[in-house]
């Protein structure tokens, strides 16, 4: 099970910034061109930064300044009579392979009976940008699917290492405007015996679950674990909450013996919103309180005048259920934590809970190091 997301809501192009356009090409001296389209997804109260990102090798500029990627290599999987085969071909030859690309590797944009398919992110980003910029989809609701990708970045100035979350868009569908707007994902993670933090359990009937989300690293030729803390709300009270908590603990921990890690999968809700602060009459001025007390003004009018205030950003992953395939509990593995945290470059060390923090943007700009330059959703 890959780490994949599904978001239903309003999709738009991110705003341009002084030194970072929403849609851009960056041609490096190595001949690699990086095309990036930054998008914004609003799922009811939750707001996310999405992207379509393309890496094309052997790119160059023509004499007239236009970008030429004819000799760039496209890597994909073909479906040959039910058998899958990994292949690569030149961009200029893409039409020969388009009909043979496996369905799960096609990038799509679907609006009713109109369906556009692409073999590469370079063309896909251009098409999505053109469609959304036309204004024809301003009031439409979309179902957007893709993969979740994590990356660590250590600021050379401060030495602080952050984990960034990137939502890579692969499929876009125009859906009914009455569709429920929400953001969900499927995730797998490695956990240790001490993965549970129950400090919130008594007051909130919620506990924190700490673990490492695996992601394949080509330089390691294996999975690397990105540390994440998930919220696990019990959504129950009293004895039912206690029984539910004990059952979840058994599912998570009963299969630990001599192994250091177990693997478990979840269905989760993605939360990224500004929390509303309810109207507080006690914070009104003495004059306003007198107006209400002596009947010169109604309390409801004062509430409407001030409305709900905006609080801190709540950015978290909430477990909604255990994924299919894990009904008998977390699966033991012979993998060790040191092996999981080895990124293929340096000696690994376990990551402590407070070693990694995430900024408000949750988006990694691999070329600019100033945090103020990062793309973020404008609340």
């Amino acid at each position: 099970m890959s780490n994949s997301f599904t978001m239903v809501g309003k999709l738009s192009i991110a705003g341009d910034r002084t030194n970072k356009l929403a849609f851009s090409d960056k041609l490096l001296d190595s001949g690699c061109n990086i095309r990036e389209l930054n998008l914004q997804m609003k799922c009811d109260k939750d707001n996310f930064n999405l992207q379509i990102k393309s890496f094309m090798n052997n790119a160059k500029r023509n004499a007239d300044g236009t970008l030429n990627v004819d000799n760039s290599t496209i890597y994909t999987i073909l479906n040959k009579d039910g058998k899958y085969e990994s292949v690569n071909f030149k961009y200029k030859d893409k039409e020969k392979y388009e009909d043979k690309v496996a369905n799960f590797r096609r990038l799509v944009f679907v609006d009713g009976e109109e369906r556009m398919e692409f073999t590469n992110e370079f063309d896909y980003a251009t098409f999505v940008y053109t469609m959304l910029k036309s204004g024809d989809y301003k009031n439409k609701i979309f179902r957007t699917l893709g993969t979740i990708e994590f990356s660590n970045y250590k600021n050379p100035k401060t030495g602080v290492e952050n984990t960034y979350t990137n939502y890579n868009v692969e499929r876009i569908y125009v859906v009914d405007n009455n569709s429920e707007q929400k953001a969900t994902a499927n995730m797998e993670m490695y956990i240790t015996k001490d993965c549970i933090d129950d400090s919130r359990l008594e007051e909130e009937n919620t506990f924190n679950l700490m673990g490492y989300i695996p992601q394949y690293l080509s330089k390691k030729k294996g999975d690397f674990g990105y540390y994440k803390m998930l919220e696990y709300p019990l959504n129950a009270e009293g004895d039912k909450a206690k029984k539910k908590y004990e059952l979840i603990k058994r599912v998570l921990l009963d299969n630990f013996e001599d192994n250091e890690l177990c693997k478990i999968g979840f269905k989760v809700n993605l939360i990224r919103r500004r929390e509303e602060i309810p109207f507080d009459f006690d914070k009104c001025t003495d004059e306003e309180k007198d107006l209400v007390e002596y009947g010169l003004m109604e309390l409801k009018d004062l509430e409407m005048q001030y409305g709900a205030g905006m609080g801190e950003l709540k950015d978290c992953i909430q477990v909604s259920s255990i994924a299919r395939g894990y009904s008998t509990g977390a699966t033991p593995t012979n993998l060790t934590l040191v092996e999981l945290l080895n990124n293929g470059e340096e000696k690994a060390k376990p990551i402590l809970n407070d070693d990694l923090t995430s900024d408000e943007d949750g988006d990694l700009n691999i070329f600019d190091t100033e945090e103020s330059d990062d793309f973020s959703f404008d609340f």
Side-chain angles (χ1 to χ4, degrees):
M1 180 177 71
S2 62
N3 298 315
S4 58
F5 70 88
T6 300
M7 297 182 185
V8 180
K10 293 184 176 180
L11 182 67
S12 61
I13 300 170
D16 289 332
R17 303 211 168 198
T18 304
N19 61 345
K20 189 171 185 181
L21 300 177
F23 182 63
S24 63
D25 283 299
K26 188 177 182 70
L27 182 58
L28 306 180
D29 293 338
S30 63
C32 175
N33 183 77
I34 302 172
R35 172 165 290 182
E36 185 172 3
L37 173 60
N38 292 319
L39 301 167
Q40 296 177 339
M41 190 90 188
K42 183 173 178 59
C43 308
D44 194 16
K45 296 180 180 180
D46 297 303
N47 304 286
F48 301 92
N49 305 320
L50 283 61
Q51 67 177 17
I52 301 175
K53 205 166 190 176
S54 161
F55 298 88
M56 301 292 270
N57 64 351
N58 299 323
K60 63 180 181 180
R61 293 284 181 185
N62 294 321
D64 60 0
T66 58
L67 194 62
N68 186 332
V69 296
D70 283 348
N71 289 317
S72 298
T73 307
I74 296 175
Y75 298 89
T76 190
I77 298 175
L78 300 185
N79 184 347
K80 293 186 174 181
D81 299 324
K83 296 182 179 180
Y84 297 112
E85 178 183 346
S86 297
V87 299
N88 64 80
F89 51 85
K90 298 297 183 184
Y91 176 84
K92 60 185 177 183
D93 298 324
K94 63 180 179 177
E95 293 183 0
K96 301 177 183 178
Y97 298 90
E98 286 176 344
D99 294 337
K100 301 175 184 178
V101 173
N103 285 333
F104 63 86
R105 288 300 298 267
R106 299 184 187 189
L107 306 165
V108 303
F109 186 100
V110 181
D111 182 2
E113 296 182 357
E114 297 183 15
R115 181 184 181 94
M116 296 296 297
E117 298 183 344
F118 302 86
T119 61
N120 61 90
E121 288 84 357
F122 184 84
D123 292 337
Y124 189 49
T126 305
F127 178 83
V128 174
Y129 175 74
T130 303
M131 291 295 100
L132 295 181
K133 194 171 180 61
S134 70
D136 295 340
Y137 295 92
K138 184 177 181 181
N139 298 316
K140 298 289 186 179
I141 299 297
F142 295 86
R143 183 163 64 96
T144 304
L145 291 78
T147 55
I148 303 174
E149 188 176 74
F150 300 97
S151 52
N152 288 340
Y153 173 73
K154 181 179 287 187
N155 189 313
K157 297 179 181 179
T158 64
V160 176
E161 186 174 57
N162 290 328
T163 296
Y164 294 84
T165 305
N166 293 312
Y167 297 100
N168 298 315
V169 177
E170 296 173 350
R171 292 175 175 259
I172 300 174
Y173 301 86
V174 180
V175 296
D176 188 276
N177 276 10
N178 295 322
S179 301
E180 181 185 3
Q181 298 187 32
K182 58 182 180 179
T184 60
N186 294 312
M187 286 186 170
E188 283 186 323
M189 70 187 308
Y190 287 100
I191 56 174
T192 60
K193 290 181 181 179
D194 58 351
C195 61
I196 293 177
D197 172 11
D198 61 2
S199 58
R200 302 170 57 190
L201 189 61
E202 185 174 347
E203 293 187 3
E204 303 177 46
N205 275 336
T206 295
F207 65 91
N208 294 329
L209 179 65
M210 300 164 290
Y212 302 86
I213 298 180
Q215 181 175 297
Y216 183 81
L217 291 186
S218 57
K219 61 187 175 184
K220 180 183 177 180
K221 293 182 173 57
D223 284 341
F224 174 80
Y226 290 89
Y227 173 83
K228 278 290 178 181
M229 182 167 65
L230 280 56
E231 286 189 0
Y232 208 131
L234 296 178
N235 297 319
E237 301 290 338
D239 289 341
K240 186 176 181 180
K242 292 179 181 179
K243 292 179 179 179
K244 188 174 182 179
Y245 176 62
E246 291 302 321
L247 177 58
I248 293 171
K249 282 179 61 179
R250 290 200 296 272
V251 171
L252 296 176
L253 305 179
D254 273 9
N255 289 338
F256 278 100
E257 293 182 358
D258 296 330
N259 55 301
E260 187 177 4
L261 295 170
C262 278
K263 197 173 188 180
I264 185 76
F266 298 108
K267 293 181 179 181
V268 302
N269 295 317
L270 305 173
I271 309 295
R272 192 171 189 270
R273 65 182 67 169
R274 289 288 182 187
E275 294 185 311
E276 291 186 354
I277 301 175
F279 170 76
D280 188 354
F281 182 68
D282 291 336
K283 293 185 179 180
C284 292
T285 65
D286 290 338
E287 290 182 357
E288 289 171 330
K289 292 177 181 178
D290 288 341
L291 289 174
V292 174
E293 182 179 352
Y294 292 104
L296 300 176
M297 188 173 189
E298 293 186 13
L299 179 60
K300 64 179 181 180
D301 292 327
L302 202 57
E303 291 179 355
M304 292 181 65
Q305 176 180 323
Y306 288 110
M310 300 304 292
E312 296 181 354
L313 175 69
K314 182 177 178 62
D315 189 356
C316 68
I317 301 171
Q318 287 186 346
V319 177
S320 61
S321 64
I322 296 169
R324 181 173 55 190
Y326 292 97
S327 59
T328 58
T331 303
T333 174
N334 293 326
L335 188 67
T336 67
L337 188 57
V338 170
E339 291 170 339
L340 181 63
L341 299 182
N342 181 353
N343 63 9
E345 291 183 349
E346 56 188 21
K347 186 177 180 180
K349 63 176 181 178
I351 302 177
L352 302 178
N353 298 351
D354 55 357
D355 280 346
L356 300 180
T357 59
S358 72
D359 66 2
E360 182 172 312
D361 295 340
D363 176 76
L364 177 60
N365 180 350
I366 62 174
F367 304 108
D368 302 320
T369 58
E370 297 297 327
E371 292 184 6
S372 60
D373 293 339
D374 281 349
F375 155 67
S376 65
F377 198 102
D378 295 321
F379 289 93

